[in-house]
Amino acid sequence: MTYVMTALTMPKFGLAMTEGKLSSWTIAPGGAVREGDEVADIETSKITSGYESPASGVLRRQVALAGETLPVGALLGVVADADVPEAEIDAFIASFRAESTEEGEETAEATSSEPKMVEVGAHRLNVRDVGRGEGPPLLLIHGFGGDLSNWMLNQDVLARHQRVIAFDLPGHGASSKDVGDGSLTFLAEAAAGLLQALDIPKAHVLGHSLGGAVALCLLRDAPDSVVTLTLVAPAGLERAVNVESLKAMVESDRTRDMQQALQALVHDKSLVGRKMADNVLKVRRLDGAREALRTIAATCFANGQQTDDLRPVLDAASVPVRLFWGEEDEILPVAGAKNAPDTVVKYILPEIGHMPQLEKTVEFNRIVEGFLEENA
Amino acid sequence: MSKKSFRQAINEALRQEMRRDPTVVLMGEDVAGGQGGSSGVKDAWGGVLGVTKGLLTEFGESRVLDTPISEASYIGAAAGAAATGLRPVAELMFVDFVGCCLDQIMNQAAKFRYMFGGKARTPLVIRAMYGAGFNAAAQHSQALYPLFTHIPGLKVVVPSSPYEAKGLLIEAIRDDDPVIFLENKVMYDDEEDVPDEAYTIPFGEANLTREGSDVTIVAIGRMVGMANEAADRLAKQGISCTVLDPRTTSPLDEQTILECVEDTGRLVVVDESSPRCNMACDISALVAEHAFGALKAPIRRVVPPHTPVPFSTPLEKLYMPSAEKIEAAVKSVMTQKTPEVA
C-alpha cells in the first residue's frame, strides 16, 4: 500500500532568503490541517509570515523545533492521513533527508535570480528579472522609499508562468541616486527606459503607491508599452497623503524609530520586525539615498498634498485595469478608490493596510495571476 | 553589492572618503607599505596586513604618509592636524603600542573640545589592530578597548563584520571627535556582502544579530560571530537567544541592552579583553543597577583569565572565549534560578 505523505519545508520568501527561522508552530502535532491552512510562522531576515500547508491531512510530525533557523528547503514537518503508520513517517523523513543531501549542491547553484545592474541612460538600475513565458512580461514598480524587496512574496510566485521584472526606482534600493527634479514624469521615463534597455516593447505593468502613479504616467507617456495595468493603493487619485509617516520613513535613523515608521504601512503591526527596519536603514544610509527621497517628496508631496492628479489618465485608459486597496490604509486613504472609473475592477480589502501584496499575499497573487492569464 | 573581506571593506571606506574629501589623510608606520625598499617597488604591501594597499598609488605621498617608528610623534601630529582642519586617519598598527603615545590621546586629543570651551573640533581617527588568536604573543594581542572607553572625550568603535566595518569607519572619518577604531586582526579575511557605495552606521546604536526570548548575549567585536554560532546551536536545543552587538563601546547603547534584558531576564556578556574593569564588568553593572528586577538568573561573563595573552597555541586557545564557552554559560543561566524574594 502506498501512503501519501507531504513534506513541509522551509519556504523561500524572495531572493535574499537563504534560511529562515521557524518562529512557532500554529498547529499541534496530530492536529488536522487543510490545504492553505497556516501551520507555522516563519521569520526571515526581512519579514515574519505565515506558512501555509501545501496539503490536507494531519500534522503527523514536527521535525523542526520552534526557534530553529534552517536553510530554505529544509524539512519542517510531515502532513499525512491519520492512518499512515508511524514507521512509514519515519522512513519518509529518513529518505527526505538522504535526498536533500544529494540535491544540496544543485540548489546552491540555482541563484540566477540575483538582481543585476542595468544601464539606462545615466541611471544604473538594480533589476531582478525572473521567470520565462510567452507573451509580454510583467513589470513591478514599487512605491516611495521602497525597493524590489517589496515584492518578495509576489515576484517568484507570479513568475511561475511568466517573466516578471522588478527594479529599484532611481534614488531607491541599490539603484543610482540621481532623481532629477524628483517628478513622476522623471521616474516614468526611467521605467520606460528600462523596458527599452531590456528590449521589451510591451509589458503588463503593476505599480504600488507612488509606483502606481509612475505606472499611470507610463501609460500616459508611452501608451503603446502598457498591456494591462494593476494599481495597488496608487498615488495620483486623491489629494490626501500621510506626509508625516513618509517623512519618518525617510529620516528615521534608529532601528526603533524606523520600525515604528514602517508599521504605518501595514494593518497587522507585528509584520514589521526589527530586522525589516534594519534592512530599510541599510538602504537609507547609503550616500545620497535620503537626499533623493527628499527631492521626490518635495516635488510629489509639496505642501502636505499630492501634486499630481492622474484621474484623467485613468479615466481615459483603454487597457484593462485592476485596482487593489486596503481599507485600513494609513498612507493613502482608501477613499481614493472611489475616484477610479467603473471600468476598473476594484478589490477593496478589509483589515489590510497600505501593502496588500504583503498582507494579503495569497489572494493578491491569485487575482493578479488570473488577470494576467485572461489578458495573455 | 558584492562579497568583500573585512580588509577590503576597510580599504574601500578609506579610499571612498579620501576621494570624497581632500582633507582626509593617512599616516602611520608602513601605511604606504614597502616604499623605498631595495627593489625600488613602491606600495609593496600596504601596511603589515595589507589593509592600506593601493592607497599610496592613488593618492600620493602627500596624503599617505609613512611615519618614523615613533608613536608619540605621529599620533601627536595627527591630533594637531585634526585640530587645524585636516581629517587624519592615523594607524597605530598594534593597539598594544598605545603605551608609547597615550598622553597624546588621553590628555590632548580627548580633551581639546572640553578644555577649549567647545570651540575646538578634533576629527581624528586612530585605527589599530587588537585581539588574541593570532599567536602574536602578549605584547601584540591585547584587546584594549576598555582602556579607551574609560576616557571621556573619545569614541570607541569595535566592528564585528565587514559590513559593519565599512559603515562605521566612514562614520568615524566624518565624525568631528577623536574616534578609536579597533580591528580584530583575526577577522581580516572574513567575508560578507558589502555595498559598493559609501554608507554610514551611526554610533551608539546596538545591532541585534539574533532575536530570542530566553537569554541576551552581549558580545563585542569578534565575539559577535562566536555568540551567533552559540545562539544557533542553542536554538536547536530549544534555547532562544538574543545576540546584541553594541558596535561602539563609547557611546554605549544602554537603552537597547536594558530593553533586551527586560525581555529575556537573563544576561551573558562576552568580552575578549582582560576581565578586570572590562566591558563585561561595565555592562553587568549597568544591568544590575537598572534591570535587576528583570533578572531571573545571575549575570554570567564569558571572559579570559586575568593573565597576559599566552603565546603557546593550546594556551591561547584555552585563554580565549569560544562558542562552546558561550553555549555553556547560556545553559548555566538557564538552569540557575535566583531565590524568590518575598
Side-chain angles (χ1 to χ4, degrees), chain A residues 74-238:
Chain A
L75 188 63
L76 303 180
V78 180
V79 169
D81 283 341
D83 59 358
V84 178
E86 287 292 324
E88 290 290 332
I89 304 270
D90 288 333
F92 178 79
I93 293 172
S95 76
F96 183 94
R97 285 187 168 147
E99 277 171 32
S100 57
T101 325
E102 282 168 28
E103 283 170 10
E105 283 171 27
E106 288 170 37
T107 11
E109 275 175 31
T111 50
S112 60
S113 58
E114 292 284 312
K116 288 186 198 69
M117 283 294 173
V118 176
E119 307 277 340
V120 176
H123 301 295
R124 294 185 75 232
L125 299 183
N126 189 40
V127 179
R128 183 167 184 261
D129 187 346
V130 296
R132 289 290 166 263
E134 309 273 312
L138 171 66
L139 181 71
L140 304 175
I141 310 178
H142 65 75
F144 178 78
D147 58 45
L148 53 76
S149 75
N150 293 162
W151 310 110
M152 64 187 162
L153 300 182
N154 317 107
Q155 192 180 6
D156 288 332
V157 176
L158 297 173
R160 285 180 300 195
H161 313 292
Q162 162 102 35
R163 182 174 175 199
V164 185
I165 298 156
F167 71 109
D168 294 337
L169 283 167
H172 291 74
S175 288
S176 52
K177 300 292 179 266
D178 176 21
V179 293
D181 61 359
S183 66
L184 292 174
T185 307
F186 185 91
L187 298 174
E189 269 172 30
L194 175 63
L195 290 178
Q196 263 176 11
L198 297 176
D199 219 4
I200 297 169
K202 282 176 181 298
H204 300 281
V205 179
L206 191 162
H208 170 238
S209 192
L210 189 85
V214 172
L216 284 166
C217 289
L218 189 65
L219 179 67
R220 179 192 66 197
D221 302 340
D224 293 342
S225 63
V226 181
V227 188
T228 68
L229 194 58
T230 306
L231 301 172
V232 187
L237 302 188
E238 253 270 15

Side-chain angles (χ1 to χ4, degrees), chain A residues 167-319:
Chain A
F167 71 109
D168 294 337
L169 283 167
H172 291 74
S175 288
S176 52
K177 300 292 179 266
D178 176 21
V179 293
D181 61 359
S183 66
L184 292 174
T185 307
F186 185 91
L187 298 174
E189 269 172 30
L194 175 63
L195 290 178
Q196 263 176 11
L198 297 176
D199 219 4
I200 297 169
K202 282 176 181 298
H204 300 281
V205 179
L206 191 162
H208 170 238
S209 192
L210 189 85
V214 172
L216 284 166
C217 289
L218 189 65
L219 179 67
R220 179 192 66 197
D221 302 340
D224 293 342
S225 63
V226 181
V227 188
T228 68
L229 194 58
T230 306
L231 301 172
V232 187
L237 302 188
E238 253 270 15
R239 280 290 192 203
V241 52
N242 181 350
V243 283
E244 284 309 311
S245 279
L246 295 183
K247 192 174 175 198
M249 278 175 233
V250 175
E251 304 298 341
S252 295
D253 199 28
R254 302 278 149 170
T255 305
R256 202 176 291 108
D257 300 338
M258 183 57 86
Q259 188 179 348
Q260 208 176 6
L262 294 175
Q263 282 173 344
L265 291 170
V266 289
H267 183 61
D268 175 4
K269 306 299 179 198
S270 69
L271 283 172
V272 179
R274 253 190 97 93
K275 283 286 168 200
M276 188 187 241
D278 279 338
N279 281 309
V280 172
L281 278 173
K282 279 188 176 182
V283 177
R284 291 290 182 277
R285 286 168 179 169
L286 295 170
D287 272 10
R290 285 197 171 93
E291 288 75 4
L293 293 178
R294 285 177 200 136
T295 304
I296 294 172
T299 303
C300 295
F301 317 121
N303 307 318
Q305 290 194 314
Q306 296 191 47
T307 311
D308 299 81
D309 182 0
L310 297 168
R311 283 175 297 180
V313 180
L314 190 54
D315 289 340
S318 58
V319 299

Side-chain angles (χ1 to χ4, degrees), chain A residues 21 255-256 275 282 287, chain B residues 163 174 198 205 208 211 256:
Chain A
K21 181 168 140 189
T255 305
R256 202 176 291 108
K275 283 286 168 200
K282 279 188 176 182
D287 272 10
Chain B
Y163 174 83
R174 296 181 189 179
E205 178 170 59
L208 302 191
E211 286 180 79
T256 304

